[in-house]
Amino acid sequence: MKNLGLSQNTSYNTKKNRGFGIAASLLWFSFLPLKVLAQQPPIKLPDMVQTQSGPVKVERLASLGEPWGMAWLPDGRLLITEKPGYLRIYSQGKLSDPIRGLPKIEYHGQGGLLDVEIDPNFPQNNLIYISYSEASLTQPNVTRDEGDPRLGKFNDHTDAILKGTAVARGKLINNELKDLEVIWRQFPKTIGRGHFGGRLVFAPDGKLFITSSDRQRSEPAQDLNGNLGKIIRINSDGSIPKDNPFISREGVRPEIWSYGHRNPIGAALNPKSKELWIHEMGALHGDELNIPVAGKNYGWPIVSNGDHYNGSRIPDHETMPKMAGPIYYWHPAISPSGFAFYTGTLFKGWLNNALIGSFNSEALVRLSIDGNNVSSEERIWLHRRIRDVIQAPDGSIWLLTDYKEGELLRLSPIDSQ
């Protein structure tokens, strides 16, 4: 298990030996804004950035409202979600009007319309899949969330809506979703807060992986009677695969693939191993890169290489080796979001590298992969919170930025122009 700090020689690369201690860690945290999502980026987008592979051109293609997820259609058009509840198509330099037929979406804070994915047999069935936060039809008689001291400044007592993540699918016909049906829901729904997860990835066998976050309640990640803090594996129609690890275990949700996860909002298939890789945000540092194995417990909130936002300590992964630990982690945190493996030829030397968006670093993070290990890391500074990452058919890299007035960006090496 490898970790990365500001440099390989920095004394606070590990929890056990971080020189600044918890007080300085809290000082770092005190500079985080209470309103995490800014209206717009603070500085101008660079036209070009330097990378270890040479200069890269940065193009701004479109303006969007809190964009979250992307998926390519077979004809080269790009589906894009906007968290307030809009699904659009980007094609030939233009954004479509919002696609009609979406379900009612509970938009607040981290919740809203999240990811989008197309069915492996889309040319035959026109099916697309969306994840989103939905409110319960029946609401409790409460006016505020009681909060959790461990969340520190990230408590939002004003949100008293009972809600959870859902995944639905429907047929994309012209500019409308038809025959929409919900195929999976988080259980149980909880009051307020964030951490919805919602990344959607189809495996080569046609099974659908869903990342389901802990809803900022921590302990449910260890409760197998619910599906919060889990990686989910279902068939494309919502039924349960017969080879899921807990399908024969009484009292356990049969859709669970792995558990003990905090807030995984990046997921991708490794092009060489065909295995699912995810990253997940730690609390106060300790972001993780994991390869979820069927039936394994990844430890949250019992162990972590970070701590709670109020400074209360969490034992390191190494203290409980029976739980699966990350193959790589970040301390200080990068707050990762979005995940793609590069399989193109446009960027020389990037083949099979992992590309991860970062909020804190305002960068695209490039990881060189050797088997199941990270051999090196590069941060490509863009001065933007990066929400999602996708490879285009031509091998360029397209990004979504995480702002109220967000952007669709395109990266391409200058020597290929």
Side-chain angles (χ1 to χ4, degrees):
M1 179 174 62
K2 184 176 180 181
N3 80 312
L4 181 79
L6 293 177
S7 74
Q8 293 297 335
N9 298 317
T10 307
S11 63
Y12 50 88
N13 280 353
T14 65
K15 287 178 65 182
K16 295 296 185 184
N17 187 33
R18 58 174 183 242
F20 63 88
I22 196 67
S25 186
L26 287 175
L27 178 62
W28 172 90
F29 172 65
S30 70
F31 288 99
L32 289 177
L34 282 176
K35 185 179 180 181
V36 176
L37 189 61
Q39 182 71 23
Q40 55 185 286
I43 64 175
K44 182 181 177 182
L45 181 74
D47 297 324
M48 183 270 292
V49 291
Q50 289 290 346
T51 75
Q52 293 174 2
S53 305
V56 168
K57 182 180 180 181
V58 183
E59 300 173 82
R60 185 176 180 273
L61 302 180
S63 298
L64 295 148
E66 294 184 69
W68 208 97
M70 298 180 281
W72 289 103
L73 291 166
D75 60 7
R77 295 180 298 159
L78 182 66
L79 290 164
I80 306 175
T81 62
E82 294 174 296
K83 202 165 63 174
Y86 306 112
L87 176 63
R88 301 181 191 269
I89 295 174
Y90 179 82
S91 178
Q92 298 180 342
K94 296 181 180 179
L95 282 170
S96 73
D97 291 333
I99 291 173
R100 302 181 300 277
L102 269 64
K104 185 175 181 180
I105 291 164
E106 172 60 24
Y107 166 59
H108 180 96
Q110 296 178 15
L113 181 58
L114 305 174
D115 209 6
V116 60
E117 185 57 280
I118 70 167
D119 192 275
N121 296 314
F122 179 86
Q124 291 76 44
N125 59 29
N126 285 96
L127 286 171
I128 71 168
Y129 298 72
I130 56 172
S131 60
Y132 58 99
S133 54
E134 66 168 6
S136 173
L137 293 176
T138 306
Q139 290 292 321
N141 186 24
V142 297
T143 58
R144 70 191 304 272
D145 175 27
E146 72 278 8
D148 184 334
R150 297 173 297 183
L151 296 178
K153 294 181 179 181
F154 288 102
N155 276 296
D156 178 5
H157 299 287
T158 66
D159 186 5
I161 300 297
L162 185 66
K163 66 181 91 171
T165 306
V167 175
R169 70 174 187 174
K171 293 181 179 180
L172 181 61
I173 307 295
N174 296 322
N175 209 46
E176 183 175 2
L177 270 187
K178 296 188 175 182
D179 303 327
L180 193 75
E181 59 175 343
V182 175
I183 61 169
W184 179 83
R185 285 185 165 100
Q186 275 190 333
F187 175 84
K189 285 183 167 59
T190 60
I191 296 290
R193 306 192 192 180
H195 291 190
F196 293 91
R199 289 294 178 191
L200 306 173
V201 177
F202 273 102
D205 62 2
K207 304 299 189 288
L208 177 62
F209 285 109
I210 305 166
T211 68
S212 175
S213 297
D214 71 348
R215 298 289 285 108
Q216 290 185 304
R217 293 181 182 269
S218 299
E219 282 73 22
Q222 292 294 321
D223 182 2
L224 295 177
N225 293 305
N227 57 29
L228 309 184
K230 314 296 193 298
I231 301 301
I232 303 303
R233 180 176 181 256
I234 59 175
N235 294 316
S236 61
D237 62 358
S239 61
I240 307 300
K242 294 181 179 179
D243 57 347
N244 268 12
F246 298 109
I247 193 165
S248 300
R249 187 166 159 183
E250 187 175 353
V252 177
R253 301 285 297 193
E255 72 265 35
I256 295 173
W257 178 257
S258 61
Y259 64 107
H261 300 285
R262 183 177 180 271
N263 189 25
I265 52 173
L269 286 180
N270 183 307
K272 296 185 72 174
S273 68
K274 309 303 180 185
E275 294 175 313
L276 180 72
W277 287 40
I278 67 166
H279 60 64
E280 47 190 295
M281 290 192 186
L284 188 57
H285 309 305
D287 302 333
E288 298 181 3
L289 182 65
N290 286 308
I291 306 173
V293 175
K296 291 286 187 178
N297 180 358
Y298 286 78
W300 177 257
I302 300 170
V303 290
S304 172
N305 290 332
D307 292 314
H308 292 297
Y309 288 124
N310 67 349
S312 57
R313 302 298 294 268
I314 306 172
D316 287 341
H317 275 283
E318 63 188 28
T319 64
M320 295 190 181
K322 290 184 178 180
M323 294 183 179
I327 64 167
Y328 192 77
Y329 71 94
W330 289 269
H331 196 298
I334 64 166
S335 298
S337 180
F339 194 169
F341 281 96
Y342 190 73
T343 59
T345 59
L346 199 61
F347 287 87
K348 307 304 181 184
W350 285 24
L351 184 63
N352 297 324
N353 286 185
L355 304 177
I356 296 172
S358 168
F359 292 163
N360 286 359
S361 299
E362 298 186 337
L364 177 66
V365 177
R366 180 174 71 89
L367 303 178
S368 297
I369 305 298
D370 182 9
N372 287 343
N373 298 302
V374 176
S375 58
S376 66
E377 173 177 338
E378 177 185 14
R379 299 190 190 183
I380 300 168
W381 310 103
L382 295 162
H383 308 294
R384 293 292 190 275
R385 291 166 55 96
I386 304 302
R387 167 61 76 177
D388 200 17
V389 183
I390 197 169
Q391 177 184 316
D394 66 357
S396 60
I397 301 300
W398 293 33
L399 310 172
L400 296 177
T401 65
D402 186 55
Y403 299 94
K404 293 281 187 182
E405 298 176 11
E407 303 149 302
L408 175 64
L409 307 180
R410 180 182 185 268
L411 307 185
S412 60
I414 286 179
D415 61 9
S416 70
Q417 304 301 312

